[in-house]
Amino acid sequence: MAQTLHNFHFEDLLTRHHLKKTAPRLRVLSMMSSRNTATSQPDLESVMNDIDRVTLYRILSAFEEKGIIHKVFDLNGTANYALCTSNCDEGHHHDEHLHFNCTNCKNVYCLNDMQLPAINLPAGFEPQAFTLYASGLCPKCSKKAVK
Amino acid sequence: MAQTLHNFHFEDLLTRHHLKKTAPRLRVLSMMSSRNTATSQPDLESVMNDIDRVTLYRILSAFEEKGIIHKVFDLNGTANYALCTSNCDEGHHHDEHLHFNCTNCKNVYCLNDMQLPAINLPAGFEPQAFTLYASGLCPKCSKKAVK
DNA sequence: GTTTAAACGCAACAATATTACAATTAACTA
DNA sequence: TAGTTAATTGTAATATTGTTGCGTTTAAAC
Ligand SMILES: [Mn+2]
Ligand SMILES: [Mn+2]
Ligand SMILES: [Zn+2]
Ligand SMILES: [Zn+2]
């Protein structure tokens, strides 16, 4: 996480997905990759406050469609966005990892390594995707709590 | 589900939680208990369109605080509400069951019997609650799909 | 350099949610 | 049973989040 990705990586990413390289898009990618947690819509909006809100929404939905980022709602129903690390395809994500929502700092962590256990459902239900959330204290906040 | 609950049950419920028995509250309880799926905020609002929106929000948050209902966001981030069946306490829910969101009819099902498997997290994370969602086709919609 | 589809910015609007305060009423008490 | 009061409701104003339509700009292709 917080791996040092350079601008040409993002430019590459955009080209591969047939998206024009534009300043707003590169900024969104750069911001997201600089964090080790997902970024909430309000955060995005305040940091990118010189980019039009509509443009931001369009960038986010384009990225999501292309499989570049995924959207996850936190416990308060707020949208959070994070880069996909699991080679998601256009229109087909497979980010079935655990999301951890800290009740203290509100951050949403993508725990990419945590695979979901097998779940079986009552007869009749035909599941296509699973999402697992955990909430509680993240490492930083649990340390503070000990003090 | 869709168990025939009578008005005096709800009145009882309200008294037990030190909530005044009012028409809007009884109607919300009655509506929710008549369904076997969670009720979305838009649904609630349109069915209860003669109750003020603010009142509705206040009823919902009061019920949630008291452990009478629980709130679950569907895949689109829309709030859905369902009665608690797991003896939730004031300020402390334990509705850790699976929620199934049908991609066709959009209904949210509380699968109260499905317990979550044990999940272990990376070091440092201190989970307090888990939430598991599945999406796909519900029994009704999967039947239709076969035709 | 020209062309053009894609992307952006702006304005208007829709949906969801919250806050402040005045009016009403369910529940308690005398 | 009437009177009192805190809880609840209604109303208005505002905030936040998200969408749509349309004119302008620009990255990319030729
Ligand atoms: Mn994630
Ligand atoms: Mn439920
Ligand atoms: Zn935290
Ligand atoms: Zn269905």
Side-chain angles (χ1 to χ4, degrees):
Chain A
M1 46 187 83
Q3 36 191 314
T4 309
L5 292 179
H6 295 288
N7 223 289
F8 57 83
H9 284 130
F10 301 137
E11 299 193 0
D12 223 51
L13 188 64
L14 293 177
T15 332
R16 280 206 306 279
H17 287 96
H18 310 289
L19 294 172
K20 285 188 184 176
K21 301 172 219 166
T22 67
R25 283 175 175 167
L26 290 170
R27 283 179 56 199
V28 168
L29 289 176
S30 155
M31 174 182 180
M32 287 192 174
S33 77
S34 74
R35 303 190 167 198
N36 61 352
T37 59
T39 310
S40 71
Q41 185 280 327
D43 266 21
L44 270 165
E45 199 169 313
S46 68
V47 173
M48 309 278 171
N49 60 353
D50 52 329
I51 298 178
D52 190 82
R53 282 168 34 74
V54 180
T55 299
L56 200 47
Y57 278 110
R58 283 190 287 225
I59 289 175
L60 293 172
S61 54
F63 283 1
E64 199 188 359
E65 257 181 43
K66 295 291 188 175
I68 296 175
I69 64 175
H70 59 282
K71 182 184 192 171
V72 41
F73 294 101
D74 67 19
L75 298 171
N76 302 311
T78 302
N80 286 251
Y81 299 90
L83 293 175
C84 293
T85 58
S86 29
N87 293 82
C88 295
D89 308 317
E90 167 124 25
H92 201 76
H93 284 263
H94 26 88
D95 316 85
E96 297 209 340
H97 50 262
L98 171 62
H99 287 109
F100 189 95
N101 196 176
C102 180
T103 51
N104 184 242
C105 66
K106 315 300 179 197
N107 277 331
V108 173
Y109 295 78
C110 290
L111 301 184
N112 293 291
D113 301 330
M114 304 300 298
Q115 294 299 336
L116 304 199
I119 311 280
N120 37 7
L121 291 177
F125 288 95
E126 294 185 358
Q128 286 152 5
F130 290 93
T131 318
L132 178 61
Y133 292 90
S135 60
L137 293 178
C138 75
K140 285 185 188 174
C141 294
S142 62
K143 266 186 200 166
K144 284 179 198 159
V146 171
K147 289 181 193 174
Chain B
M1 46 186 85
Q3 36 191 318
T4 310
L5 292 179
H6 295 287
N7 223 289
F8 56 82
H9 284 129
F10 301 136
E11 298 192 0
D12 223 49
L13 187 64
L14 292 177
T15 334
R16 280 206 307 279
H17 290 282
H18 310 286
L19 293 172
K20 285 190 186 177
K21 300 170 218 166
T22 67
R25 283 174 176 167
L26 290 170
R27 283 179 56 200
V28 168
L29 289 175
S30 155
M31 175 181 178
M32 286 191 175
S33 76
S34 74
R35 303 192 168 193
N36 62 352
T37 57
T39 310
S40 70
Q41 185 279 330
D43 267 20
L44 270 165
E45 198 169 313
S46 67
V47 173
M48 308 279 172
N49 61 353
D50 53 328
I51 298 178
D52 190 83
R53 283 169 40 74
V54 179
T55 300
L56 199 48
Y57 279 112
R58 283 190 287 226
I59 289 175
L60 294 172
S61 53
F63 283 2
E64 198 188 359
E65 254 181 45
K66 295 289 187 176
I68 296 175
I69 64 175
H70 59 283
K71 183 183 191 172
V72 41
F73 293 101
D74 67 19
L75 298 171
N76 302 310
T78 302
N80 285 251
Y81 299 89
L83 293 176
C84 293
T85 58
S86 30
N87 296 80
C88 295
D89 308 317
E90 167 124 23
H92 202 77
H93 285 263
H94 26 87
D95 316 87
E96 298 210 340
H97 50 263
L98 173 62
H99 288 109
F100 189 95
N101 196 177
C102 180
T103 51
N104 183 241
C105 66
K106 315 299 179 197
N107 277 331
V108 173
Y109 296 78
C110 290
L111 302 184
N112 293 290
D113 301 330
M114 304 300 299
Q115 295 299 337
L116 304 198
I119 311 279
N120 38 9
L121 291 177
F125 288 95
E126 293 185 359
Q128 286 150 5
F130 289 93
T131 317
L132 178 61
Y133 292 89
S135 60
L137 292 177
C138 75
K140 285 185 187 173
C141 294
S142 61
K143 266 185 198 165
K144 283 179 198 159
V146 171
K147 288 181 191 173

